[in-house]
Amino acid sequence: MIAFVSGASRGIGAACAVELARNGFDVMINYNKSEKAAKKVAEQVEALGRKAVLCRLDVSDYGAVNAVCSELVHRFGAPDVLVNNAGISLSGLIQDVTEEQWDALQSGNLKSMFNLCKAFVPGMVSRKSGCIVNISSMWGQIGASYESIYAASKGGVDAFTKSLAKELGPSGIRVNAVSPGCILTDMCACYSEEDLKALAEETALGRNGTPQDIANAVAFLASDKASFITGQILGVNGGIM
């Protein structure tokens, strides 16, 4: 079995790559700029006895995705599991957001997911099996002040997930999303210590999450234990919602 994880050089993506390897998957480790970090993830995957394939690719670039993923499918076949994790964040007042920032965010968070599904779904349909897990955000479900364009992109992830699940279900392909709460990754750099403490206090479990919390959920959805689960947005947020 093989999994493709986008944005797998750090944070949630890296944790997902390693956890999937721990669960028996060879892993295609996608990265864009962080080659050194991606190689470290590959070493962790291989230490677990699984194969690692490094894949440098800007997943928001439709042409590049089509070319590179076509080669991957030719060499390895369509992945059994696709984890659409790559994404970017932005905080700010709507009146301060530029058109370029809007375009970049929707491209990084929505178009990248479309590009990879477009590339890999035909092989899954041909095989009549496959699993897609998209990484969303609680802000896509409840919204957040200063996060409107980020929330819009993640709301799009949720809608895409539910719709694609209905479209691909007859072909034996499951499509779900994991919707993280506040997870302690580089994306939290925009929050102060006080903000992070306040978020933890709002959470029923009294703490913020870790990349491993999300990786555990992704591995579950990718497993046979979730064989009757599709079209769902799984909140992993410690009870903040």
Side-chain angles (χ1 to χ4, degrees):
M1 298 186 295
I2 190 163
F4 182 103
V5 182
S6 69
S9 64
R10 59 184 182 171
I12 289 172
C16 287
V18 174
E19 186 61 29
L20 287 167
R22 191 174 286 116
N23 282 265
F25 287 89
D26 296 329
V27 187
M28 297 175 183
I29 298 166
N30 163 248
Y31 70 100
N32 187 15
K33 299 176 181 177
S34 306
E35 182 176 12
K36 185 176 180 180
K39 286 182 176 179
K40 288 184 179 180
V41 176
E43 290 172 1
Q44 291 178 273
V45 167
E46 290 170 347
L48 291 166
R50 308 312 308 178
K51 294 179 181 178
V53 178
L54 289 173
C55 176
R56 184 170 191 172
L57 176 63
D58 177 358
V59 291
S60 68
D61 184 330
Y62 179 86
V65 168
N66 186 55
V68 172
C69 292
S70 292
E71 177 62 23
L72 290 174
V73 170
H74 177 72
R75 290 175 59 193
F76 305 105
D80 299 280
V81 172
L82 166 61
V83 180
N84 284 306
N85 164 74
I88 56 178
S89 64
L90 178 71
S91 297
L93 295 169
I94 187 65
Q95 60 263 38
D96 296 330
V97 173
T98 67
E99 180 183 13
E100 290 75 20
Q101 288 174 318
W102 167 271
D103 289 343
L105 209 76
Q106 306 316 315
S107 183
N109 294 348
L110 271 176
K111 187 183 177 186
S112 60
M113 178 179 59
F114 163 77
N115 289 345
L116 289 169
C117 287
K118 180 82 170 173
F120 288 135
V121 160
M124 292 181 175
V125 170
S126 177
R127 195 177 56 220
K128 298 294 183 184
S129 68
C131 173
I132 299 170
V133 183
N134 302 317
I135 304 301
S136 182
S137 168
M138 66 177 179
W139 300 137
Q141 296 174 277
I142 62 173
S145 180
Y146 305 104
E147 301 267 8
S148 59
I149 67 170
Y150 177 73
S153 70
K154 291 303 186 176
V157 171
D158 292 349
F160 184 85
T161 297
K162 295 174 184 178
S163 298
L164 197 63
K166 292 183 177 181
E167 181 177 328
L168 299 181
S171 295
I173 301 164
R174 298 183 296 107
V175 187
N176 293 289
V178 173
S179 181
C182 183
I183 307 299
L184 298 175
T185 68
D186 291 346
M187 276 195 178
C188 284
C190 62
Y191 295 117
S192 67
E193 287 289 334
E194 287 186 359
D195 290 336
L196 291 173
K197 183 179 179 181
L199 285 165
E201 289 174 350
E202 290 179 35
T203 302
L205 294 179
R207 69 172 177 88
N208 293 315
T210 67
Q212 189 61 44
D213 291 321
I214 306 305
N216 291 339
V218 169
F220 165 69
L221 289 173
S223 74
D224 290 340
K225 293 178 180 179
S227 63
F228 198 55
I229 300 176
T230 196
Q232 303 305 305
I233 313 299
L234 176 59
V236 183
N237 56 48
I240 198 170
M241 284 174 58

